[in-house]
Amino acid sequence: MTYLKAFARWLLRLLYRVKVQGLEHFDQAAERVLVIANHTSFLDAVLLTVYLPDNITFAINTHMARHWWLKPWFKLVPVFPMDPTNPLSAKSLINYIKSGQTAVIFPEGRITVTGTLMKIYDGTGLVAEKSGASVIPIRIDGAQYTPFSRLRGRVRLRWFPQVSMTVLPPQRICSPEHIQGRARRQYAGKALSRIMTDMMFATSSYRATLFEALLDARRIHGSKHLIIEDTERTPLSYRRVIADSLLLGKHLKPLTDRQHPVGLLLPSMNGALLSFMALQAHGRIPALLDYTLEGDSLRELCDAAGIQSIITSKVFIRFARLSHTLATLKSRFRIIYLEDIARTMNWRDKLHSLFASYFARGIYLARSGKPSPDDTAVIVFNQQQAIHYSHANLLANRNQINVVIDFNSRDIILNALPLHNPFSLTAGTLLPLLSGLRVFFYPAENHYRIVPEISYEINATILFSTNRTLLGYAEHAHPYDFYCMRHVFTGGEQLTRQTRQQWMEKFGIRLLEGFGLPQTGPVLCTNTPINYKLNSVGQFLPGIEWRLRDQDAQGYGMLEVKGPNIAHDGWYQTGQKARLDDDGFVYLAETSRG
């Protein structure tokens, strides 16, 4: 068996360049060990068998145990058939682990068909709790992109992607003594689910820059994968986005500098995103300007942020009737029109940029000044305050959302929120761009008849919006306009009962309310399809610490938070009064709603 494992390791390392981290955590575990892992593909059991210490037993679904092609594997590795619907199976496994054995189990009970965690069975948590075992979480990543996964049609499959396994420190599940029976089983299941969710985020990569993350997304999803589209109806692939960003950035570089942020006065359109990434590619800091503000207010914000140049569009200025605002800004700042830059580009420039896109990582490192993940990536404004998001802030929040929501590359996000809105920037723009989801930009969220019609036309599946806007859509849309919609997320203001009921009655869609602030990346917590409670704003995203100050008799206290997504060192005082129930769902006090 030792020689067979050595050969298998060599072969896996050759084919999949397997990287394993954290095996030393097995030395920290007690005598009884329960290994839990996410289930990405049929390769998972092979990977765990080959790289984990000897004498492990796999607890597998009895249905899977009947497959003939698994019989040879059963002769090499001890197997414990387990029926998740039979309580006696769980009891037998508990006694087996108590005897000092190490068991491996996939708490989802099946290979993922969404790309993220599936339902976590309560029985696995109860096994961990009643056996007194040290729970060792293991994250398997990369195997979901092989043909041995069940994600065909949802992600780009390839034969030999790089695969990694990350072993986290052991943990224990201990339920309070007063909880017994079914409540104890549910408590243990929820505790295990939190361990799995935290594992997925803790092992995700957010210590990078936005442009590096864009290049990584191209590698995973393919250069030809169409990723953004707007009302011009010309969808752009990763190759085009990267090539056009390098081309536009090359022309913007002599008009800007690294010492001063560059204002973006643009609507949610392809041009705005390309301008944003063009500045990222060349080490410039975009500052997203709210074009609904008066000219004097915008000028004061730009002065305070140190902005010297503003990028905008002549067509947009006419469309939004911002001539007076622009006249106010012209007297103080350099105005750069995208149309003027486009006229200076010739076919040689475009051909060169397309060629350069194949070597984009090296070009980025040479032109950008090699920014750190902790450097400012973008500036947004909340009233008169400039908020500096680092690259790590934005990528952390994007990963936190990705862990708890089942997004996939079949999804089409309809984003009608303005780009200067932090919710639009993170959830509606960066999340799809960096995760292989197609996003359609529309420049006016309050076009209550047009936006639903576009949703119907493009088969949109994800929508981010606000209560007021969703109510407008419900009043003007056709009942079938959102027929393809899987998830609708709302934040920024309290979701009213009227809006919730109208969407359920007219479209049959359950609205998912969340909460966050501009300083928090912005999402702090959200309801999800798998974890939802009426009138709450959901559970905190993984990686976020929280505490309540000066709690009253009802349990409400001033909420303070800390985490990698928060553009603030240490504990951040949200100014919101909140309470949490026993399941970790957050409820905001009505008097503190923003």
Side-chain angles (χ1 to χ4, degrees):
M1 182 63 179
T2 302
Y3 295 108
L4 185 60
K5 286 181 69 172
F7 173 75
R9 261 184 219 165
W10 172 81
L11 185 62
L12 289 171
R13 193 176 298 116
L14 175 67
L15 298 178
Y16 298 107
R17 306 177 300 286
V18 177
K19 292 184 177 180
V20 182
Q21 295 178 308
L23 283 176
E24 66 276 6
H25 291 136
F26 274 90
D27 298 330
Q28 305 169 11
E31 181 181 355
R32 305 168 183 175
V33 175
L34 177 64
V35 176
I36 59 172
N38 62 312
H39 208 355
T40 64
S41 74
F42 289 106
L43 284 176
D44 298 343
V46 177
L47 290 164
L48 294 172
T49 301
V50 169
Y51 285 99
L52 295 191
D54 293 332
N55 302 320
I56 63 172
T57 300
F58 281 84
I60 68 170
N61 191 302
T62 51
H63 172 71
M64 292 297 297
R66 299 191 189 103
H67 289 295
W68 63 269
W69 45 270
L70 287 174
K71 300 296 184 182
W73 181 63
F74 294 162
K75 296 179 180 179
L76 301 175
V77 181
V79 172
F80 193 102
M82 185 176 175
D83 182 356
T85 63
N86 186 351
L88 294 178
S89 291
K91 188 175 181 179
S92 299
L93 183 58
I94 290 169
N95 293 330
Y96 184 77
I97 296 174
K98 280 184 175 181
S99 68
Q101 303 296 325
T102 297
V104 179
I105 194 166
F106 299 106
E108 300 162 272
R110 59 178 297 184
I111 296 173
T112 180
V113 294
T114 64
T116 188
L117 289 176
M118 304 283 285
K119 178 179 71 173
I120 305 298
Y121 281 94
D122 292 344
T124 306
L126 189 65
V127 168
E129 200 264 352
K130 283 197 169 184
S131 66
S134 295
V135 177
I136 296 184
I138 297 181
R139 164 77 184 277
I140 301 172
D141 188 34
Q144 68 269 28
Y145 301 120
T146 69
F148 303 105
S149 75
R150 287 183 168 170
L151 295 178
R152 185 174 302 277
R154 294 180 181 270
V155 299
R156 184 175 71 101
L157 300 182
R158 44 203 189 276
W159 279 105
F160 305 116
Q162 183 171 9
V163 175
S164 66
M165 284 175 48
T166 306
V167 183
L168 273 63
Q171 302 182 47
R172 289 290 185 94
I173 295 177
C174 298
S175 59
E177 292 183 2
H178 69 275
I179 298 179
Q180 296 296 328
R182 183 180 178 186
R184 184 179 183 183
R185 180 186 181 93
Q186 292 175 339
Y187 179 93
K190 290 171 183 175
L192 183 67
S193 181
R194 284 192 291 270
I195 290 174
M196 294 286 288
T197 302
D198 290 342
M199 172 194 76
M200 296 296 287
F201 174 69
T203 56
S204 67
S205 176
Y206 61 86
R207 300 292 304 168
T209 64
L210 295 182
F211 201 79
E212 287 173 330
L214 175 64
L215 298 179
D216 290 339
R218 177 182 65 171
R219 173 178 54 81
I220 293 171
H221 300 286
S223 296
K224 297 180 181 179
H225 183 65
L226 298 177
I227 195 68
I228 64 172
E229 188 177 1
D230 61 15
T231 54
E232 296 295 323
R233 308 316 297 264
T234 305
L236 302 183
S237 65
Y238 275 116
R239 178 182 297 159
R240 278 288 308 275
V241 169
I242 292 171
D244 289 357
S245 297
L246 293 175
L247 175 59
L248 180 58
K250 180 181 178 182
H251 287 77
L252 291 174
K253 185 178 179 180
L255 304 176
T256 59
D257 60 70
R258 291 177 185 164
Q259 288 71 42
H260 299 92
V262 181
L264 285 185
L265 191 67
L266 291 166
S268 293
M269 299 284 281
N270 286 358
L273 177 60
L274 293 175
S275 301
F276 180 90
M277 296 309 302
L279 295 173
Q280 297 290 341
H282 293 78
R284 274 47 172 173
I285 300 174
L288 307 182
L289 303 178
D290 183 353
Y291 46 79
T292 65
L293 295 177
E294 296 291 337
D296 291 338
S297 297
L298 266 180
R299 183 176 59 195
E300 292 174 5
L301 286 178
C302 293
D303 279 331
I307 293 172
Q308 292 188 347
S309 303
I310 297 175
I311 299 172
T312 188
S313 160
K314 294 178 180 178
V315 173
F316 170 62
I317 295 300
R318 289 195 301 269
F319 174 80
R321 300 178 180 178
L322 297 177
S323 299
H324 179 72
T325 298
L326 197 68
T328 305
L329 297 176
K330 273 184 177 179
S331 61
R332 177 69 182 83
F333 309 103
R334 169 188 283 174
I335 306 299
I336 302 171
Y337 294 106
L338 291 178
E339 290 88 349
D340 292 344
I341 292 179
R343 279 197 294 270
T344 66
M345 299 177 182
N346 54 42
W347 66 269
R348 293 186 184 85
D349 292 326
K350 296 177 181 179
L351 185 62
H352 181 268
S353 68
L354 185 61
F355 178 76
S357 68
Y358 291 96
F359 308 95
R361 197 173 296 271
I363 294 173
Y364 167 66
L365 293 175
R367 294 181 182 178
S368 65
K370 299 180 181 180
S372 160
D374 296 316
D375 289 343
T376 298
V378 62
I379 298 174
V380 297
F381 298 93
N382 179 35
Q383 297 177 352
Q384 298 300 312
Q385 180 186 9
I387 301 170
H388 293 244
Y389 288 140
S390 71
H391 296 270
N393 289 153
L394 295 169
L395 293 179
N397 205 215
R398 166 247 174 175
N399 286 359
Q400 289 167 324
I401 299 169
N402 248 347
V403 165
V404 299
I405 307 294
D406 59 326
F407 298 116
N408 64 75
S409 59
R410 286 182 179 177
D411 282 319
I412 299 176
I413 289 182
L414 175 55
N415 184 9
L417 294 171
L419 189 62
H420 61 258
N421 181 316
F423 190 39
S424 172
L425 172 65
T426 301
T429 303
L430 294 179
L431 186 150
L433 177 69
L434 305 179
S435 304
L437 285 68
R438 190 163 173 173
V439 58
F440 188 100
F441 294 113
Y442 187 78
E445 61 175 326
N446 60 353
H447 288 183
Y448 298 131
R449 297 185 187 275
I450 298 176
V451 172
E453 183 65 31
I454 288 177
S455 174
Y456 176 75
E457 182 182 347
I458 68 173
N459 301 318
T461 61
I462 308 288
L463 178 67
F464 297 100
S465 195
T466 63
N467 176 78
R468 185 181 298 108
T469 304
L470 290 175
L471 185 59
Y473 297 158
E475 291 175 351
H476 294 90
H478 186 277
Y480 208 58
D481 281 341
F482 298 105
Y483 82 101
C484 253
M485 198 65 66
R486 293 202 305 123
H487 305 315
V488 178
F489 297 91
T490 176
E493 56 187 358
Q494 181 182 4
L495 178 63
T496 64
R497 179 184 300 177
Q498 178 188 5
T499 306
R500 183 188 296 114
Q501 289 180 343
Q502 285 202 20
W503 271 76
M504 179 56 71
E505 293 170 4
K506 189 170 185 177
F507 308 117
I509 294 175
R510 180 178 63 178
L511 301 180
L512 301 172
E513 185 178 8
F515 166 69
L517 297 167
Q519 293 85 352
T520 63
V523 185
L524 278 176
C525 49
T526 185
N527 281 286
T528 69
I530 203 169
N531 289 303
Y532 174 90
K533 278 194 179 181
L534 188 66
N535 298 322
S536 83
V537 290
Q539 296 173 321
F540 282 112
L541 297 179
I544 294 175
E545 300 177 61
W546 60 271
R547 65 188 183 190
L548 298 176
R549 295 284 194 184
D550 305 321
Q551 288 180 261
D552 59 22
Q554 287 75 39
Y556 286 97
M558 295 305 299
L559 178 63
E560 298 181 358
V561 292
K562 183 168 65 172
N565 56 304
I566 297 170
H568 182 88
D569 293 330
W571 288 95
Y572 175 69
Q573 300 179 2
T574 65
Q576 300 282 332
K577 293 190 70 174
R579 68 173 178 87
L580 276 77
D581 66 13
D582 293 338
D583 295 324
F585 283 86
V586 181
Y587 297 82
L588 301 181
E590 298 300 325
T591 55
S592 69
R593 291 267 192 166

